[in-house]
Amino acid sequence: MDSTVRGTIEMTAAMAILGTIGWFVVMSGQPIMDVVFWRCAFGAITLLIICAALGLLRGRLPLRIVAIAALGGAAIVINWLLLFSSFSRASISIATAVYNTQPFMLVGFGALFFSERLTMTKLAWLGIAFAGMLLIVQGSPDAGPNTGNVGTDYFTGIAMALGAAFFWAVAAIVTKKLRGTPPHLIALIQVSVGVVMLAPFANFSHLPADAWSWSMLATLGVVHTGLMYILMYGAIQKLPTHLQGSLSFIYPVVAILVDVVAFGHRLHPAQIVGAAAILVAAAGMNLGWRLWKSKIPAESLQAIE
């Protein structure tokens, strides 16, 4: 099988798995702190086995690399806590759409800390995403009867999803410092940090009493963490960046479909337009789409952007 085809299948599977994560979080019936702790715990066991099988545990990583990976892990764990908490407040669909403002967080970090230039194209996509955010906020539970089963703490849910996107961008910036380090090993360090961070807050005195809850938590760790990382990192090694970016939008589409099919959530028309605007703007940012033709030669335009 051609490597690009194989990578496409792996990335599609990874994003489809990621798109179902909200269902497992909700159906586990556990407090979010416990959900994230057990995801990290089961994920750490899975990734430890994978790293050992790949021979990645031989040798010793420099302390600096471990410290940077641990910092990224702390950001990832906070990201999960905020995102999972937003599901019950703003719905899986809305939280996922808002969460996909991640590319704009990265652009902001690039401009603030790395002196990267903000082009007119990037600002235009940012403006479209911001307009989408306004439409989503306007389509709150008080906007009409078609909003469906949206949580009562709607605006807090949106803020949490934005916070999750922010910490995802922090983790992405930190991970850039780890080029050359095996990604499965980075993931193992990150989820191990999550276990240490959340162990003092996990409710060990009232563990899930039924097999269903344990199966949901185990799936989040083994499938949505261990297997998803294997598929995603395998795909990244095989696919060009533009194809990775385009396939990543399978995640929000699947998440919205799961919300509609599993929970019967129907978006208000303003929310549909707002979510679409954010996803299109994020796609445009990731894939380098231009909103207008330029008379500047292509070589010069690339230099500017």
Side-chain angles (χ1 to χ4, degrees), residues 48-241:
L48 182 64
I49 295 170
I50 292 167
C51 289
L54 294 174
L56 299 177
L57 300 181
R58 298 168 191 162
R60 183 178 297 178
L61 285 175
L63 184 59
R64 173 182 170 275
I65 296 296
V66 174
I68 293 173
L71 180 61
I76 284 290
V77 170
I78 296 172
N79 158 277
W80 289 343
L81 288 170
L82 289 171
L83 180 63
F84 293 174
S85 297
S86 70
F87 290 157
S88 62
R89 292 172 170 83
S91 85
I92 294 172
S93 300
I94 293 302
T96 303
V98 173
Y99 182 59
N100 274 271
T101 55
Q102 303 158 343
F104 304 102
M105 304 286 184
L106 279 176
V107 168
F109 281 154
L112 283 174
F113 302 115
F114 303 105
S115 300
E116 294 178 1
R117 182 169 179 174
L118 281 175
T119 65
M120 289 303 298
T121 299
K122 289 179 180 179
L123 289 173
W125 287 126
L126 178 59
I128 291 171
F130 183 71
M133 279 289 303
L134 292 179
L135 286 171
I136 284 176
V137 171
Q138 181 218 341
S140 67
D142 297 327
N146 297 324
T147 52
N149 301 319
V150 179
T152 55
D153 210 358
Y154 182 75
F155 298 109
T156 300
I158 290 178
M160 284 181 165
L162 281 172
F166 173 84
F167 280 101
W168 177 90
V170 170
I173 290 292
V174 170
T175 304
K176 283 188 176 183
K177 303 288 186 182
L178 300 173
R179 285 177 182 169
T181 305
H184 301 90
L185 202 52
I186 296 172
L188 174 59
I189 294 171
Q190 290 176 338
V191 293
S192 298
V193 166
V195 172
V196 175
M197 280 178 61
L198 300 180
F201 307 102
N203 192 357
F204 295 113
S205 60
H206 293 85
L207 296 174
D210 57 288
W212 173 263
S213 295
W214 279 117
S215 68
M216 295 294 102
L217 296 173
T219 302
L220 286 168
V222 176
V223 177
H224 291 88
T225 306
L227 178 59
M228 192 276 293
Y229 270 120
I230 294 171
L231 291 170
M232 185 172 67
Y233 288 142
I236 287 171
Q237 292 173 350
K238 300 179 183 74
L239 298 176
T241 303

Side-chain angles (χ1 to χ4, degrees), residues 214-292:
W214 279 117
S215 68
M216 295 294 102
L217 296 173
T219 302
L220 286 168
V222 176
V223 177
H224 291 88
T225 306
L227 178 59
M228 192 276 293
Y229 270 120
I230 294 171
L231 291 170
M232 185 172 67
Y233 288 142
I236 287 171
Q237 292 173 350
K238 300 179 183 74
L239 298 176
T241 303
H242 73 275
L243 193 51
Q244 294 173 33
S246 59
L247 291 173
S248 69
F249 287 93
I250 293 173
Y251 160 46
V253 171
V254 171
I256 291 170
L257 288 175
V258 166
D259 204 17
V260 171
V261 174
F263 301 110
H265 180 248
R266 297 293 185 271
L267 298 181
H268 188 276
Q271 293 175 317
I272 294 174
V273 175
I278 290 174
L279 296 182
V280 169
M285 181 74 78
N286 276 339
L287 303 178
W289 295 344
R290 295 192 181 97
L291 291 168
W292 51 77

